[in-house]
């Protein structure tokens, strides 16, 4: 570090003052002649003050270094659990957006990623679905067939079939390679609010404003089971990883867990004070979770809002 002439002069005066006050008269005289400076009242005690300030700063630096080390260890632990990486969660999107996809004429109600290709499908109140290439931001195709709002979308695990549900009370199955509607499933008596493929891809489940959940056979398009229990509009339905259970939420303020094989609900959770509109399960299957008593929401990995 290079000192300015003024800083050098102040330093020399401070050293001279220290030598004199410490009793080093000969050294002070020699330093005064060689440095060509004289003592000043303004520099009295200045060297001691700066020295003690340096010691305090060193202590602060050591404390901060310990805190930084502890934070780095904590972040390393979180990263091992799949969380933060170098202080920033690499999985979270950050602005600016890569693309702003526009083309629908009304509100967008659902978006689903294709399980294989870099494509996404959006559904809208304008009764259409649009297929987007999210790598390029280009619109690939517009799917038309519903006569009212598209409320939900679901791909089977291969990505060959797309299911859409609508306020026109139907579910449509689309061959995703040819973009043709292969089947229209009818049976609900009101708007169909959600649809989801079972893990096998042979069946799908739908939720409706008619207060029911229906199970459909994909190959025939027939409804094979109707699940009843909700007292109001069933807003959403999801399936466990092993396909043995369904979870639904409703405007009756409850969440219900269903046994698919028996067609009966296993648990009812009633802790919400208003409509329950969406739900999600952790990767753990329902069989690994503690079964709650009816009326109590003790599922540790069931999230709803």
């Amino acid at each position: 570090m290079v000192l300015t002439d003024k800083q050098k002069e102040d330093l020399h005066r401070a050293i001279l003052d220290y030598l004199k006050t410490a009793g080093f008269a000969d050294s002070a005289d020699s330093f005064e002649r060689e440095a060509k400076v004289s003592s000043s009242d303004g520099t009295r005690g200045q060297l001691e003050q700066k020295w003690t300030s340096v010691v305090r700063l060193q202590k602060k630096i050591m404390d901060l270094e310990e805190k930084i080390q502890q934070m780095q260890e904590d972040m390393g632990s979180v990263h091992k659990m799949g969380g933060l990486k170098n202080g920033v969660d690499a999985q979270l999107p950050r602005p600016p957006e890569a693309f702003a996809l526009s083309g629908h004429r009304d509100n967008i109600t659902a978006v689903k990623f294709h399980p294989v290709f870099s494509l996404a499908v959006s559904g809208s109140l304008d009764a259409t679905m649009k297929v987007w290439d999210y790598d390029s931001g280009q619109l690939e195709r517009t799917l038309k067939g519903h006569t009212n709002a598209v409320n939900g979308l679901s791909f089977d695990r291969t990505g060959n079939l797309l299911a859409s549900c609508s306020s026109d009370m139907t579910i449509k199955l689309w061959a995703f390679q040819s973009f043709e509607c292969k089947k229209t499933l009818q049976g609900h008596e009101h708007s169909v609010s959600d649809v989801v493929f079972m893990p096998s891809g042979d069946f799908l489940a739908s939720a409706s404003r008619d207060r029911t959940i229906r199970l459909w056979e994909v190959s025939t398009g027939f409804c094979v089971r109707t699940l009843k229990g909700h007292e109001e509009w069933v807003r959403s339905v999801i399936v466990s990883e092993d396909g043995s259970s369904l979870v639904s939420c409703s405007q009756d303020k409850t969440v219900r867990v269903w046994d698919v094989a028996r067609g009966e609900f296993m648990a009812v959770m009633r802790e919400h004070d208003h409509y329950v509109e969406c739900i999600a399960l952790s990767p753990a299957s329902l069989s690994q979770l503690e079964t709650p008593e009816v009326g109590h929401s003790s599922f540790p990995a069931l999230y709803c809002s």
Side-chain angles (χ1 to χ4, degrees), residues 3 14 39 56-57 62 93 122 128 140 149 191 194 198 205 235 257 273 278 295:
L3 300 177
S39 59
R56 288 196 299 270
L57 288 173
M62 292 173 64
S122 58
T128 71
E140 295 291 323
S191 300
D194 200 8
M198 305 297 283
R235 300 302 298 264
V257 183
D273 296 325
C278 59

Side-chain angles (χ1 to χ4, degrees), residues 63-237:
D63 292 341
L64 289 172
E65 287 176 342
E66 289 181 3
K67 290 181 180 179
I68 291 173
Q69 184 177 0
Q70 183 62 45
M71 291 175 65
Q72 288 175 336
E73 291 175 356
D74 293 343
M75 288 190 293
S77 299
V78 173
H79 175 47
K80 289 179 182 179
M81 293 186 293
L84 299 178
K85 182 179 181 181
N86 297 327
V88 178
D89 193 337
Q91 302 302 317
L92 289 177
R94 293 180 295 276
E97 70 278 3
F99 303 102
L101 312 180
S102 60
H104 282 292
R105 294 178 288 104
D106 210 327
N107 296 343
I108 297 171
T109 55
V111 177
K112 280 291 185 292
F113 284 104
H114 192 278
V116 179
F117 305 120
S118 59
L119 298 172
V121 181
S122 58
S124 170
L125 294 181
D126 65 12
T128 71
M129 292 162 287
K130 292 185 181 293
V131 182
W132 310 87
D133 184 329
Y134 56 79
D135 279 343
S136 65
Q138 297 297 313
L139 174 64
E140 295 291 323
R141 182 77 61 123
T142 297
L143 305 181
K144 297 181 180 180
H146 285 294
T147 58
N148 209 328
V150 178
N151 298 319
L153 302 166
S154 180
F155 280 105
D156 71 350
R157 61 181 180 179
T158 66
N160 293 328
L161 279 179
L162 169 68
S164 61
C165 64
S166 169
S167 294
D168 64 11
M169 301 188 290
T170 69
I171 300 161
K172 290 184 179 292
L173 297 179
W174 306 78
F176 202 70
Q177 293 182 343
S178 62
F179 300 106
E180 294 179 340
C181 179
K182 292 298 186 180
K183 288 184 178 68
T184 298
L185 315 184
Q186 296 178 317
H188 279 295
E189 298 173 1
H190 212 309
S191 300
V192 188
S193 48
D194 200 8
V195 64
V196 60
F197 273 99
M198 305 297 283
S200 66
D202 296 328
F203 297 89
L204 57 85
S206 60
S208 171
R209 196 170 181 175
D210 65 11
R211 307 178 185 179
T212 69
I213 299 162
R214 291 177 183 262
L215 295 176
W216 307 82
E217 187 176 35
V218 172
S219 60
T220 62
F222 294 155
C223 176
V224 295
R225 178 161 288 167
T226 300
L227 308 181
K228 297 181 179 181
H230 282 294
E231 299 173 1
E232 283 292 342
W233 185 352
V234 186
R235 300 302 298 264
S236 184
V237 61

